């Protein structure tokens, strides 16, 4: 079964994205950075050679202007409901989802390919984030418990997800811990301006 990178992203609208960076960059600068990070994430995902989908909020058909790829609306509900819907749809269509956001510059084409390959041996792969969340969750099978009742945007997301995978008796490949760009002190993680813009 092939893998599909599903990139979760919001429309890069000033005041709605990267809000924790607004004190450092301003609303317009934070939105411009969100657009740049989406472009870089899509470029790396496409360069991986894997199938790529953008799950946007709102429907990306109305705002995405990058390279051609699959487009889908995230739909209603909390992040867990949106992730679960995308994962279940992908698996039902015969592909293994690699669920990612746009906040982790280190999640490059090589790590995406390695994650896809890990699912040949494991039921799930998870790359934890340094803040306690995760930057990638890949699945070879589906269970709704991985997404329901999770306290999203807290330091316990990765640990709770790993515990639920263990409870299911699934084989888990735990990848390296990577850092997200969420706060002003994380801006040093960004590639040089020439790569980002």
């Amino acid at each position: 079964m092939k893998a599909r990178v599903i990139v979760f992203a919001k429309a890069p609208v000033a005041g709605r994205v990267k809000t924790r960076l607004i004190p450092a960059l301003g609303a317009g600068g934070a939105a411009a950075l969100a657009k740049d990070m989406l472009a870089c994430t899509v470029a790396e995902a496409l360069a991986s050679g894997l199938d790529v989908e953008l799950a946007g909020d709102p429907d990306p058909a109305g705002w995405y202007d990058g390279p051609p790829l699959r487009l889908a609306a995230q739909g209603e509900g909390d992040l867990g409901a949106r992730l679960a819907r995308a994962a279940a749809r992908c698996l039902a269509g015969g592909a293994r989802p690699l669920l990612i956001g746009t906040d982790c510059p280190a999640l490059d084409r090589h790590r995406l390919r390695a994650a896809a390959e890990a699912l040949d041996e494991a039921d799930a792969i998870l790359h934890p984030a340094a803040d306690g969340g995760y930057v990638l969750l890949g699945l070879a099978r589906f269970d709704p418990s991985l997404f329901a009742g999770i306290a999203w945007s807290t330091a316990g997301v990765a640990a709770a997800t790993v515990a639920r995978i263990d409870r299911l008796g699934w084989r888990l490949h735990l990848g390296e811990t990577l850092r997200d760009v969420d706060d002003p002190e994380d801006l040093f993680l960004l590639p040089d301006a020439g790569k980002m813009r």
Side-chain angles (χ1 to χ4, degrees):
M1 188 185 290
K2 64 183 179 179
R4 178 182 302 160
V5 181
I6 303 181
V7 181
F8 270 67
K10 293 179 182 176
V13 176
R16 289 197 63 233
V17 292
K18 305 305 284 175
T19 53
R20 284 185 275 173
L21 293 176
I22 289 176
L25 303 177
L33 178 60
K35 185 170 185 176
D36 287 345
M37 293 183 76
L38 172 59
C40 285
T41 301
V42 166
E44 286 299 308
L46 290 171
S48 73
L50 301 169
D51 192 19
V52 182
E53 174 183 307
L54 172 61
D57 177 28
D59 188 336
W63 57 266
Y64 175 70
D65 59 1
L69 42 71
R70 294 173 182 267
L71 300 176
Q74 291 182 20
E76 299 301 316
D78 69 0
L79 179 59
R82 295 170 185 223
L83 289 168
R85 191 159 43 239
R89 174 174 43 79
C90 185
L91 283 160
R96 298 167 175 160
L98 299 175
L99 303 164
I100 68 171
T102 62
D103 296 339
C104 182
L107 201 55
D108 60 14
R109 64 193 76 181
H110 308 293
R111 287 190 172 100
L112 291 171
R113 272 198 298 265
E117 290 165 6
L119 289 176
D120 289 337
E121 304 294 331
D123 298 305
I125 174 171
L126 186 144
H127 272 286
D131 64 7
Y134 56 75
V135 299
L136 179 147
L137 177 64
L139 299 172
R141 54 202 297 193
F142 180 77
D143 192 279
S145 70
L146 300 181
F147 303 101
I150 298 279
W152 300 104
S153 300
T154 68
V157 171
T161 305
V162 167
R164 293 178 185 201
I165 291 170
D166 287 345
R167 203 172 305 134
L168 290 167
W170 290 5
R171 296 163 297 165
L172 171 65
H173 178 93
L174 195 60
E176 64 194 300
T177 298
L178 302 171
R179 287 193 61 172
D180 271 339
V181 176
D182 289 321
D183 298 298
E185 60 266 28
D186 300 325
L187 290 171
F188 79 93
L189 296 165
L190 293 172
D192 61 82
K195 266 185 83 176
M196 288 299 294
R197 297 186 184 280

